[in-house]
Amino acid sequence: MRSLISILDFSVEELDRLVATAKDIIDHPENYREKCRYKKLATLFFEPSTRTRLSFEAAMLELGGSVLGFSEANSSSAAKGESMADTANVLSCYADIMAIRHPREGAPYVAANNATVPVINAGDGGHNHPTQTLTDLLTISREMGRLDNLTIGLCGDLKYGRTVHSLIEAMARYKGVKFVLISPPELKVPGFIRFNVLERYGIPYEEVLSLDDAMPELDVLYMTRIQRERFDSLEEYERLKNCYILDPGKMAQAKKKMCVLHPLPRVNEISVAVDSDPRAAYFRQALNGKYVRMALILMLLEEAEKNPVRQTVDTSGYLTDRICTNPKCICQVEQELPHLAKLTDPRANIYRCIYCEHKV
């Protein structure tokens, strides 16, 4: 039995297969209407969501299945202090598969290690959002006709933007991909992405401040909002929230054949005047999310039927004396979780928390 916690849990071949299945669902929806009959999806959303939660629910319903769950932490036993491990164990009794969104980084990882059904990470803090990345891959493939030989601009909150982290990890494995990272210094891509992915595998990238300067070379522009909920300081958020705004003037500098993506919701980082530009793909992207989640649910349920045994985590070689200090990590609120660190860069002797991947 497999779960999806990080986009790196799937090979490039598996990513391509999911994209192909999603396209087939789009072309032949009648072939999939009863695929999940009598199956139940549990949606465990411990923080607010519109698109992700509803697209999961729509995906399961269009596959002929049913949905149960909750949309905020206060309506779950987490409000009474129940641990993520216990929640995953209990919900496994009622559902065949579960999707979890949580403000604590590493929470879906803990759930997957305790559940007896497949777990899908629907976003954990500022860490990962692999199903959004599957949505992005399907959208880029449909808009550009390929997933290789692309220059991808990522703009805005690259530090806390979990969609950005997962997209870099996925697209870095395709040939000929270059990244242009557009952000203020305070919101740069974190070290665990820059060093573990980009520099480790020799992926070409540049970090720039100006969106205007980057526009002419981009095949894909991935805009993100500055996320108030990820900042500890309101003052810092207010200072940075309007640092990048995409408008028709900037679009005039872009290639005729390119696409603009955004995980949504937007605030004011994309002017509504851009919506009518045929290169604006973010609403088509939201629709693609339903189809690719349908493909993912099918894949994980089929694999669980073939192999219902939960994968065990091999912690041999992990350090137990390194304490994670990331205040957003799941281990900070669930004290029974062991502090475990894995070696991610032998040359520099760098260890990172197994839950949130912060350096310890």
Side-chain angles (χ1 to χ4, degrees):
M1 184 185 69
R2 296 177 68 190
S3 292
L4 174 61
I5 305 305
S6 162
I7 199 67
L8 297 178
D9 293 337
F10 288 162
S11 67
V12 171
E13 292 74 22
E14 288 171 322
L15 295 177
D16 290 342
R17 178 155 56 93
L18 282 166
V19 168
T21 301
K23 289 180 178 179
D24 191 61
I25 292 171
I26 293 169
D27 293 337
H28 306 286
E30 66 281 359
N31 294 339
Y32 294 86
R33 287 175 183 153
E34 298 293 321
K35 289 284 188 178
C36 287
R37 192 178 182 188
Y38 305 125
K39 298 291 186 180
K40 296 183 291 294
L41 165 71
T43 54
L44 285 61
F45 277 64
F46 293 84
E47 67 176 3
S49 169
T50 301
R51 277 146 302 278
T52 302
R53 181 173 62 85
L54 294 182
S55 68
F56 265 113
E57 293 184 3
M60 193 59 169
L61 292 173
E62 292 197 20
L63 290 168
S66 56
V67 180
L68 63 156
F70 51 84
S71 59
E72 58 181 353
N74 288 339
S75 59
S76 76
S77 289
K80 303 175 184 178
E82 183 175 59
S83 69
M84 191 71 254
D86 283 357
T87 298
N89 268 304
V90 170
L91 266 293
S92 296
C93 301
Y94 308 140
D96 301 287
I97 187 169
M98 63 181 76
I100 300 177
R101 167 165 288 189
H102 204 286
R104 289 285 173 176
E105 297 170 7
Y109 174 87
V110 174
N113 289 339
N114 290 275
T116 55
V117 299
V119 171
I120 301 172
N121 181 0
D124 61 328
H127 187 211
N128 277 317
H129 197 346
T131 66
Q132 179 63 51
T133 300
L134 293 176
T135 300
D136 302 338
L137 295 180
L138 176 59
T139 305
I140 294 170
S141 179
R142 296 187 73 194
E143 297 289 325
M144 302 302 296
R146 65 189 191 279
L147 288 170
D148 55 4
N149 298 307
L150 293 167
T151 297
I152 302 173
L154 302 162
C155 180
D157 181 1
L158 310 189
K159 179 178 180 180
Y160 301 111
R162 56 194 173 195
T163 61
V164 168
H165 305 163
S166 292
L167 184 59
I168 290 175
E169 290 177 329
M171 291 301 301
R173 293 184 285 171
Y174 287 89
K175 293 181 180 179
V177 170
K178 174 188 174 182
F179 294 100
V180 181
L181 309 176
I182 310 155
S183 73
E186 299 91 339
L187 296 176
K188 289 171 61 175
V189 164
F192 77 90
I193 294 293
R194 194 163 58 252
F195 300 131
N196 286 3
V197 181
L198 298 173
E199 295 184 5
R200 183 177 183 180
Y201 296 106
I203 309 300
Y205 76 96
E206 57 179 316
E207 296 179 303
V208 301
L209 296 175
S210 171
L211 176 57
D212 294 82
D213 292 346
M215 287 297 292
E217 68 172 308
L218 303 181
D219 298 303
V220 177
L221 173 60
Y222 198 92
M223 293 293 296
T224 66
R225 70 184 172 95
I226 308 301
Q227 305 173 88
R228 168 66 188 94
E229 65 269 27
R230 305 296 173 216
F231 283 79
D232 295 323
S233 166
L234 178 60
E235 180 180 4
E236 185 182 14
Y237 165 74
E238 291 291 339
R239 182 170 59 84
L240 296 171
K241 68 178 182 179
N242 294 320
C243 55
Y244 297 107
I245 299 176
L246 182 66
D247 55 28
K250 290 183 175 64
M251 289 297 292
Q253 305 172 50
K255 295 178 180 180
K256 298 291 184 184
K257 177 65 175 175
M258 61 90 72
C259 64
V260 179
L261 276 61
H262 191 303
L264 301 178
R266 69 173 165 187
V267 182
N268 65 341
E269 60 277 359
I270 300 180
S271 166
V272 294
V274 175
D275 293 354
S276 59
D277 191 307
R279 296 168 292 182
Y282 30 88
F283 294 123
R284 298 191 292 275
Q285 178 185 2
L287 178 58
N288 286 333
K290 179 183 67 175
Y291 298 125
V292 83
R293 289 180 175 103
M294 291 172 72
L296 175 63
I297 290 169
L298 284 173
M299 175 183 172
L300 292 179
L301 285 176
E302 288 171 1
E303 294 201 11
E305 286 185 4
K306 295 175 185 176
N307 180 20
V309 179
R310 183 177 61 216
Q311 290 182 334
T312 58
V313 179
D314 181 9
T315 59
S316 59
Y318 287 7
L319 295 185
T320 58
D321 60 347
R322 301 286 180 98
I323 304 300
C324 178
T325 58
N326 173 18
K328 300 182 186 301
C329 183
I330 186 67
C331 71
Q332 300 297 328
V333 292
E334 299 202 359
Q335 303 300 322
E336 77 282 358
L337 289 174
H339 285 263
L340 296 171
K342 61 182 176 181
L343 182 65
T344 58
D345 188 345
R347 296 170 301 176
N349 197 36
I350 292 176
Y351 283 81
R352 295 187 182 275
C353 172
I354 65 165
Y355 307 111
C356 67
E357 295 189 87
H358 276 245
K359 193 166 132 180
V360 295

